[in-house]
Amino acid sequence: MFADLKIDQISPNPDQPRKFFDEAKHQELKGSIEENGLLQPVVVRPVEDGEAPYMLIAGERRWRACKAAGLTVIPSKVIKDIDEERAYVLSIAENVGREDMTIMEEAGAYADLAAAGWNPAKTAKQFGKTETHIKWRLGLLTLRQEVAEMVDKGHIKPNLAWHIAQLNPGNQMVAATRYVRGDFDSEAEAQHFANGLKTMEKQTSLTNEEAPSVEEQETRKKAKAKAKDGLGKAEEVLLPLLEELAEKKPEDLAVILGDDLDRHVRVVGKLFSQVQLVRNLLSKAQGIQRAMQEQFNKAAVEVQKEAAAKKAETAPKPEAVEAEKPTEPKAGEKPAAKPAPKPRPTRKTAAAKPTTRTAAGTKPVARKAPAKKVAPKGEAGAAK
């Protein structure tokens, strides 16, 4: 039934899926109500043991604007015999299609229904959405708070947000920050970077991979040379040819190519398809490469932190250094006695001459001079 209820008889729903109300739009609606009155009634249900006899099901934004405009009575549609779950579903239905309901609010509303036993298929049917849409919205609930705020503010689009939500909290911040500051040329590049980070997360460690064998190194070297040669030829031959054709008029090409025009259209169509495919593959490869570099930079930072921690452990503590320094005597105190100097080593004296003990006393022992050799007589004469 419809009734004009006192505005103070209605309380907002604490489980309202919408938490954010735009101030500018609120003022705009307030002005419209002051000028024209409320054109669409709010939807309420009677409650027992509540702050007020009625609780809002739909129309909290209108209810807020009416209060701000100074209205004391508000047109209302009263729905009786409705349980809380049904009232919540109607509240979601009233808000889910509105532009001012944020993506994270929508995801939270679907999560509440999932907690009540609703599966994605049932939720999708209820609100006219696809099952994939419901699942992707639910997938956003793993976003860390800072990234979720970026999504709500429109800095990150829902599709990219879902890819970021698949990452661990640290990498979520890396991908979101780099996208917001403009490190990528497109949203697709940012998605490929996020997918590259996910690939890195699945690997235990970049340093645990075994070094490639000589044969594998040679195979990679040949593949690299072949790819560079092929891309180089495309740049040198194909690109200039396409640029030259693009400068011509359609009527000129019709005459120049003649009967072969249909075949060339098919060839260029296949070429375009392959170029699109390769472009997508290269973009994914670029994302993985950037993610690998990001992981490498993280690992380098961790190594530096570990080295700094070990250095700090081995360095002398400041307290020990201060304890070794002599302290200044306080007023009225005698200076501390200096430690006695260590004794200097004495010079070694020459060894004493050997002595012998006699009856008269101790006398030095005289060394005998070596005996002179006496040459034989014959030899003496020969020497003369």
Side-chain angles (χ1 to χ4, degrees):
M1 67 176 187
F2 291 89
D4 289 334
L5 300 177
K6 291 183 179 180
I7 204 164
D8 294 334
Q9 290 182 303
I10 303 172
S11 64
N13 183 1
D15 297 324
Q16 157 75 273
R18 255 175 66 191
K19 307 299 180 185
F20 172 76
F21 295 90
D22 185 85
E23 181 61 27
K25 292 184 178 180
H26 169 74
Q27 294 297 330
E28 182 181 343
L29 180 57
K30 174 192 168 187
S32 175
I33 291 173
E34 289 174 339
E35 185 70 24
N36 307 304
L38 183 62
L39 302 179
Q40 182 182 358
V42 297
V43 182
V44 300
R45 65 187 178 97
V47 292
E48 296 180 359
D49 301 328
E51 296 180 1
Y54 299 93
M55 181 179 289
L56 280 168
I57 294 177
E60 182 172 341
R61 183 166 159 265
R62 282 166 274 155
W63 176 79
R64 287 169 176 256
C66 286
K67 287 189 71 174
L71 272 66
T72 58
V73 176
I74 183 171
S76 307
K77 179 181 180 180
V78 182
I79 300 179
K80 298 180 179 180
D81 301 326
I82 182 172
D83 58 17
E84 292 186 2
E85 181 177 323
R86 181 59 184 165
Y88 188 69
V89 170
L90 292 177
S91 180
I92 297 174
E94 199 264 344
N95 287 295
V96 77
R98 296 183 179 272
E99 293 182 358
D100 52 353
M101 186 180 192
T102 69
I103 295 170
M104 299 309 299
E105 286 174 347
E106 182 186 356
Y110 296 150
D112 289 340
L113 291 177
W118 288 49
N119 58 35
K122 182 179 178 181
T123 304
K125 184 179 180 180
Q126 178 69 40
F127 301 108
K129 305 289 184 181
T130 64
E131 191 173 345
T132 301
H133 175 90
I134 303 299
K135 289 180 178 179
W136 276 56
R137 286 293 186 269
L138 290 172
L140 298 179
L141 296 174
T142 58
L143 288 172
R144 58 186 291 169
Q145 183 62 31
E146 301 92 332
V147 181
E149 290 176 0
M150 295 179 191
V151 176
D152 266 347
K153 293 177 181 177
H155 298 161
I156 299 176
K157 295 181 180 179
N159 192 41
L160 173 59
W162 184 89
H163 288 275
I164 294 176
Q166 310 309 305
L167 304 172
N168 64 43
N171 282 336
Q172 284 184 18
M173 205 63 197
V174 170
T177 303
R178 290 194 59 175
Y179 175 74
V180 170
R181 75 184 184 191
D183 286 359
F184 307 105
D185 293 335
S186 65
E187 185 179 346
E189 281 192 13
Q191 287 180 20
H192 294 156
F193 175 70
N195 293 337
L197 288 177
K198 188 62 179 178
T199 302
M200 295 301 102
E201 288 179 3
K202 292 179 181 178
Q203 295 183 3
T204 55
S205 173
L206 294 176
T207 58
N208 287 343
E209 296 181 1
E210 295 182 0
S213 63
V214 177
E215 292 78 7
E216 290 174 342
Q217 291 181 10
E218 188 64 27
T219 301
R220 291 182 185 180
K221 186 176 179 181
K222 290 180 180 178
K224 181 179 179 180
K226 184 177 180 181
K228 290 179 67 176
D229 183 57
L231 292 173
K233 288 180 179 178
E235 185 178 6
E236 293 175 5
V237 179
L238 185 59
L239 188 59
L241 174 62
L242 293 176
E243 290 175 346
E244 182 181 351
L245 290 172
E247 293 177 355
K248 296 187 179 299
K249 296 179 180 180
E251 52 268 27
D252 294 336
L253 289 174
V255 175
I256 294 172
L257 299 177
D259 296 338
D260 291 332
L261 182 57
D262 290 342
R263 183 173 64 86
H264 289 310
V265 169
R266 290 193 298 271
V267 170
V268 173
K270 291 180 180 179
L271 181 63
F272 175 76
S273 177
Q274 291 300 313
V275 167
Q276 289 287 87
L277 176 61
V278 172
R279 174 68 180 84
N280 189 43
L281 288 173
L282 291 177
S283 182
K284 289 180 179 179
Q286 188 180 47
I288 293 174
Q289 188 181 67
R290 288 172 170 173
M292 292 175 66
Q293 184 62 41
E294 189 72 35
Q295 292 295 96
F296 179 82
N297 292 340
K298 281 185 180 179
V301 171
E302 291 300 323
V303 170
Q304 292 175 356
K305 287 182 179 179
E306 184 179 350
K310 288 183 178 179
K311 186 176 180 181
E313 289 177 2
T314 56
K317 295 182 179 180
E319 295 81 359
V321 176
E322 291 294 331
E324 294 179 0
K325 293 182 179 179
T327 55
E328 295 291 334
K330 297 180 180 179
E333 291 184 357
K334 293 182 179 181
K338 295 181 179 180
K342 295 181 180 179
R344 294 182 180 179
T346 56
R347 290 184 179 181
K348 293 183 179 181
T349 55
K353 294 181 180 181
T355 59
T356 183
R357 193 174 294 276
T358 62
T362 303
K363 292 182 180 180
V365 177
R367 293 181 178 178
K368 294 181 180 181
K372 293 182 180 181
K373 293 182 180 181
V374 181
K377 290 182 180 181
E379 291 179 3
K384 290 180 181 181

